[in-house]
Amino acid sequence: MCNRVELEGVLISSRGLRYTPAGIPVFEGVLAHRSTQTEAGAERRIEFEVGIKSLGECGLRLAELPLGAVIHCTGFLAARTLKSRTPILHITELRHMEGKEHG
Amino acid sequence: MNEGMRRVQVLLPFPGEGLFDYRVPEAVVPGQIVRVPFGRGAKLGIVWSLEADPSVPDERIKAVEAVWQGLPPLVSADRELLEFTARYYLAPLGEVVAAMLPPALRRRKREPRTAKPDTGGSAMPAGLLPELTPGQRAALEAVPREGFSVTLLHGITGSGKTEVYLRLIADCLARGRQALLLVPEIGLTPQLTERVRARFSSARIVCLHSDAPASERSAAFVAALRGEVDIVLGTRLAVFAPFVRLGLVVVDEEHDPSYKQFEGVPYSARDLAVWRARRWNVPIVLGSATPSLESWAACEAGRYRRVALSARASGQPLPTIELIDTTQTSAEEGVSEPLARAIEETLKRGEQALVFLNRRGYAPVVCCGHCGWVSRCPNCSVNLVFHRDDGRMHCHHCGHREAPPRACPECGALDLRPIGRGTQRLEERLQALFPQARIARIDRDAVKTLPQWETLLEEVRAGQYDLLVGTQMMAKGHDFPSLTLVGVIGADAGLYAAEVRATERMFQQLMQVAGRAGRAGAPGRVLIQTEFSQHPLFRELAAHDYAAFAGRTLAERRALRLPPFAFQALLRADDEALEPALAFLEEARSAARSLAASEARPIRVFDPVPMRLVRLARRERAQLLVEGDHRPALHAFLERWAGALRELPHPRSLRWRLEVDPLET
């Protein structure tokens, strides 16, 4: 079944990097999105925040970005945990658009 | 039969009765060590009885290869010890003697050379003796020096029980007798060994434990048999050391479960030590800050004397014990805020703190957060424990190890997580909280050898570490002068375990670990994190009231007719699958029921059930419990039952064993 998300947003929070027992880096954070979209023929402003998770190479790159960085990413949605079924975005591809300087 | 030869029974280490007929020279007496031809090789054995089976024709009886005449025969009291052990634990005599004769001696082709005549230097204590506390003096007055008696020396942690042992041993040696001092684990008690050696520097002391070099054990056995030993110091296997002039038996930390042998003949060294003292008609002292409830009940019943040491030898008060209610205070990564604060204050004062967590490894299980997969051992019904140091998952039961999977084997998710907390993770957390602290982790992964352990203990005492993270290795009799704070994490597991002795163990362990705090200089403080702060066990612990704990727990056990108010035996069977094991136990139960029906006193035969840890090392295990309120009646029944069990058919792959007085049911 199709599960592909393409999204741009600002990295607004990071829980830093951790590693799985097998040594794979895991990044978790929150991405904020703000844009204008067309709905039923009318333009509207939208805003939301979404939990993100990224493993491996992509996760390492995310961990190096400062908060406030704007990224373009693709990935898929998956449940946060077995118990919490709300989805988070798993990022598998990443492009750094621009960002605040560190600090 | 050859001139001057006679036929005797020789007891050989053998997986069975082990009694075989041989011809020996006329002069040979029971107890003599002989080497005999056996199959294509030879075995070392003990001349057991001058009665031999006359039905076997003479020509089929072989002559012994050699009589080891330089060794005195094993005295009858010690031969009876073997017989008693076999009878009591329903084990074949051949397996019991295997526990006594050291393997290296059994492999020897020639008799060990007669040692140079040993004058046996003065066994008098060396150096200036420390002054006794009034409690120690009273204890010494209360222990009889002659004749059989059992004294439970109930001395709080740091009360100076060891000094009492040393004085008793000195008295024993002064009368030209030998002393047996049993300790739970030699590796954990190097301080005691050092103290004994230092005090009796000119006495002949042998140390017997399973980690000792084989040749050393063999030499120790020979020396003991010759009576050229003043003190035998050792772990449970030392209870079989031969004696010539035994005068005193001491069992230190008598509550410790490591006195129980699990492989081979499942004996309790503490219980055999009591039997031995009775047979030799000498006093035995059982020492502990937290006695076993068996021994406590024996005092209540008037069978054992009780002597209390209720003040610390240093004059220090006992540590204060406080609870941290983790239902009220959150404990991030296991360490609650009040505990973290207390550690910080302790470190600021330049004192040492210990955080006790009786679980080694990094995390007790690896889980997949997406599908719920958990790391299971392929051979046992337990989870694999993740270890950070080698990055692998370990089975703490069968030793299986494997690399953690890259992806979840069930759903393929990569984000597998270590769940829960072991000492390695706790160490990581504490290092993050206290980056400046020098932390030592003390568990079986960090400390693998005796020299490592001794070095580490020395370094801790020398103040090279500020913060210790340790398992139950830390709970036993160590003195760390600058340790003033003990934090306890994850102690609740013992409270509601479906195990008769779980709370007893928990109380003993907590009291022992609490006893590490504030033994020398400053007063000690103990903080225990628990979700069950209202449990009476914690109230008794905080009041250092072992008697209250013992009284309450014994009342419960009496009401439920559990040990020590009932006597138990456990039949265990294991096989490649569970069904044959259960089927065998069903047969065993039928046999037991019909035998029990003819006993005058009631024997309770329970149902066969799978063991809690049902699968271990690829074997499925089940058990059947029998109980009686009267020990002789239970034993009479067990002897007949064991006979019936041996006749029961079962698949070749099935193994069974019968354990008397099991510690775990």
Side-chain angles (χ1 to χ4, degrees):
Chain A
M1 264 196 275
C2 180
N3 181 351
R4 184 184 150 83
V5 177
E6 187 172 358
L7 190 68
E8 271 178 24
V10 181
L11 185 64
I12 58 163
S13 118
S14 157
R15 291 173 62 190
L17 210 54
R18 60 181 170 84
Y19 289 84
T20 72
I24 302 170
V26 183
F27 175 87
E28 281 180 278
V30 177
L31 199 66
H33 173 93
R34 188 182 295 178
S35 65
T36 308
Q37 302 288 333
T38 307
E39 191 175 36
E43 283 212 338
R44 54 162 298 190
R45 217 171 57 220
I46 58 160
E47 273 183 39
F48 68 88
E49 291 171 11
V50 62
I52 56 169
K53 183 186 269 196
S54 184
L55 284 86
E57 183 61 29
C58 200
L60 284 176
R61 284 179 55 207
L62 272 166
E64 282 173 6
L65 292 178
L67 293 185
V70 179
I71 56 173
H72 178 108
C73 53
T74 49
F76 58 86
L77 294 178
R80 181 180 293 278
T81 63
L82 200 55
K83 282 182 194 146
S84 159
R85 307 307 286 172
T86 46
I88 56 169
L89 175 62
H90 284 243
I91 298 174
T92 54
E93 278 173 57
L94 174 71
R95 200 147 44 90
H96 181 196
M97 309 289 288
E98 56 175 298
K100 286 199 309 201
E101 291 303 307
H102 282 268
Chain B
M1 176 118 339
N2 300 13
E3 277 302 298
M5 299 286 272
R6 66 177 302 170
R7 210 197 265 202
V8 295
Q9 273 193 324
V10 177
L11 174 61
L12 302 177
F14 182 81
E17 270 316 300
L19 288 169
F20 298 89
D21 285 6
Y22 286 93
R23 275 181 289 128
V24 297
E26 283 285 359
V28 167
V29 295
Q32 188 68 55
I33 308 286
V34 292
R35 200 174 148 82
V36 301
F38 191 85
R40 265 174 287 175
K43 272 183 187 287
L44 196 68
I46 300 171
V47 174
W48 204 248
S49 149
L50 301 181
E51 314 290 319
D53 181 358
S55 67
V56 183
D58 267 353
E59 56 274 20
R60 289 193 38 204
I61 307 293
K62 291 181 190 162
V64 297
E65 206 174 274
V67 178
W68 285 10
Q69 265 160 332
L71 295 181
L74 187 68
V75 299
S76 63
D78 286 352
R79 298 203 303 278
E80 285 169 36
L81 170 70
L82 297 181
E83 274 173 347
F84 172 77
T85 306
R87 202 166 59 242
Y88 187 83
Y89 293 106
L90 304 157
L93 202 50
E95 287 178 26
V96 178
V97 73
M100 176 186 258
L101 293 174
L105 188 71
R106 275 145 58 183
R107 286 194 297 270
R108 280 188 77 111
K109 294 208 168 60
R110 292 221 187 81
E111 179 178 348
R113 259 182 296 167
T114 313
K116 47 197 175 307
D118 193 329
T119 49
S122 135
M124 284 299 98
L128 251 169
L129 299 184
E131 197 170 323
L132 293 172
T133 64
Q136 287 170 329
R137 262 199 302 278
L140 282 167
E141 274 164 28
V143 178
R145 303 299 198 271
E146 297 277 357
F148 171 68
S149 63
V150 189
T151 305
L152 179 67
L153 182 61
H154 176 220
I156 60 168
T157 53
S159 61
K161 290 185 289 293
T162 308
E163 188 57 38
V164 175
Y165 305 154
L166 294 178
R167 299 292 174 110
L168 290 170
I169 292 172
D171 287 354
C172 166
L173 301 190
R175 294 198 317 279
R177 309 283 289 273
Q178 300 167 296
L180 169 62
L181 172 55
L182 294 179
V183 295
E185 285 173 72
I186 217 101
L188 298 180
T189 48
Q191 281 171 310
L192 178 62
T193 316
E194 278 163 36
R195 276 181 74 180
V196 173
R197 286 196 187 282
R199 178 68 60 88
F200 304 102
S201 54
S202 51
R204 298 160 300 181
I205 302 170
V206 295
C207 271
L208 280 175
H209 55 100
S210 52
D211 292 336
S215 57
E216 211 172 274
R217 264 184 74 189
S218 165
F221 176 85
V222 168
L225 192 61
R226 286 186 171 131
E228 292 164 356
V229 164
D230 300 309
I231 302 170
V232 174
L233 170 64
T235 55
R236 60 173 178 257
L237 59 89
V239 79
F240 289 112
F243 281 92
V244 175
R245 307 175 303 278
L246 184 64
L248 171 72
V249 183
V250 176
V251 183
D252 189 29
E253 308 292 358
E254 66 91 30
H255 65 279
D256 199 294
S258 57
Y259 283 119
K260 182 90 182 187
Q261 168 76 25
F262 287 100
E263 325 232 294
V265 181
Y267 64 86
S268 154
R270 178 197 61 209
D271 297 349
L272 285 181
V274 172
W275 187 90
R276 233 182 151 178
R278 175 180 291 132
R279 176 60 185 80
W280 281 85
N281 196 28
V282 299
I284 177 169
V285 175
L286 308 175
S288 177
T290 52
S292 65
L293 290 180
E294 278 81 4
S295 299
W296 194 265
C299 292
E300 305 277 282
R303 285 185 293 123
Y304 294 1
R305 302 151 173 266
R306 182 162 53 213
V307 175
L309 286 178
S310 32
R312 281 187 153 185
S314 60
Q316 277 295 330
L318 281 164
T320 56
I321 299 180
E322 301 152 52
L323 302 176
I324 298 171
D325 185 344
T326 48
T327 59
Q328 303 295 316
T329 321
S330 72
E332 198 190 339
E333 286 283 334
V335 183
S336 66
E337 205 276 322
L339 177 57
R341 202 164 354 108
I343 294 173
E344 193 181 349
E345 287 160 8
T346 306
L347 298 183
K348 264 193 199 139
R349 289 195 303 269
E351 296 164 0
Q352 287 172 320
L354 159 70
V355 184
F356 174 78
L357 169 62
N358 202 20
R359 191 187 296 132
R360 62 194 175 87
Y362 185 81
V365 66
V366 174
C367 286
C368 172
H370 294 270
C371 73
W373 171 86
V374 292
S375 54
R376 297 287 282 177
C377 175
N379 307 323
C380 311
S381 41
V382 294
N383 296 332
L384 291 175
V385 178
F386 179 57
H387 283 242
R388 187 65 116 189
D389 43 4
D390 66 354
R392 291 160 77 81
M393 304 189 301
H394 298 201
C395 175
H396 285 181
H397 291 268
C398 75
H400 172 85
R401 291 181 183 196
E402 63 182 65
R406 213 182 114 73
C408 171
E410 293 290 324
C411 75
L414 295 175
D415 185 14
L416 301 178
R417 283 169 183 253
I419 301 292
R421 186 173 309 101
T423 45
Q424 294 175 1
R425 193 170 204 166
L426 179 61
E427 180 188 11
E428 197 177 271
R429 174 67 182 157
L430 289 170
Q431 194 72 77
L433 284 173
F434 309 103
Q436 305 300 318
R438 297 163 300 171
I439 301 184
R441 177 164 55 84
I442 301 175
D443 56 31
R444 262 174 222 294
D445 301 307
V447 185
K448 290 190 170 116
T449 66
L450 189 51
Q452 262 181 344
W453 178 228
E454 285 172 355
T455 310
L456 190 59
L457 286 179
E458 212 34 68
E459 289 170 353
V460 172
R461 271 195 290 271
Q464 291 185 33
Y465 296 102
D466 311 306
L467 188 47
L468 313 171
V469 177
T471 58
Q472 49 100 19
M473 281 180 87
M474 288 301 296
K476 312 204 176 185
H478 310 294
D479 271 315
F480 301 117
S482 17
L483 183 70
T484 56
L485 175 72
V486 171
V488 177
I489 287 178
D492 289 341
L495 276 183
Y496 297 97
E499 181 64 64
V500 179
R501 290 175 178 82
T503 53
E504 181 183 350
R505 291 262 172 284
M506 177 175 168
F507 191 89
Q508 287 164 345
Q509 206 165 55
L510 292 182
M511 198 134 194
Q512 295 283 346
V513 76
R516 299 313 109 210
R519 285 167 79 101
R525 185 176 179 210
V526 180
L527 294 174
I528 300 174
Q529 291 186 185
T530 175
E531 291 182 18
F532 304 99
S533 55
Q534 300 306 309
H535 197 287
L537 182 142
F538 288 120
R539 210 170 47 235
E540 293 147 359
L541 193 69
H544 298 277
D545 196 346
Y546 184 81
F549 168 77
R552 179 178 59 82
T553 311
L554 282 172
E556 281 173 17
R557 298 241 192 119
R558 187 193 298 275
L560 297 169
R561 284 204 293 183
L562 288 169
F565 302 102
F567 304 100
Q568 298 181 324
L570 192 63
L571 177 64
R572 292 197 173 102
D574 62 78
D575 204 340
E576 287 147 11
L578 188 59
E579 292 70 30
L582 283 171
F584 175 80
L585 294 181
E586 278 297 341
E587 293 291 317
R589 179 175 62 166
S590 306
R593 291 236 158 116
S594 55
L595 286 173
S598 62
E599 290 290 335
R601 292 178 188 247
I603 304 290
R604 296 184 287 282
V605 181
F606 291 85
D607 290 333
V609 287
M611 285 175 65
R612 253 190 302 282
L613 204 168
V614 60
R615 187 169 156 83
L616 181 74
R618 295 173 185 239
R619 313 262 314 166
E620 303 277 343
R621 313 180 311 154
Q623 66 182 33
L624 168 60
L625 183 69
V626 298
E627 247 178 36
D629 298 331
H630 186 244
R631 194 190 285 283
L634 179 66
H635 254 85
F637 158 79
L638 288 175
E639 274 173 35
R640 293 166 60 208
W641 192 35
L645 291 174
R646 282 185 211 107
E647 304 301 316
L648 275 187
H650 61 75
R652 280 180 69 87
S653 53
L654 183 140
R655 294 181 307 211
W656 63 268
R657 65 194 234 119
L658 186 54
E659 186 181 346
V660 179
D661 303 336
L663 277 186
E664 287 173 21
T665 50

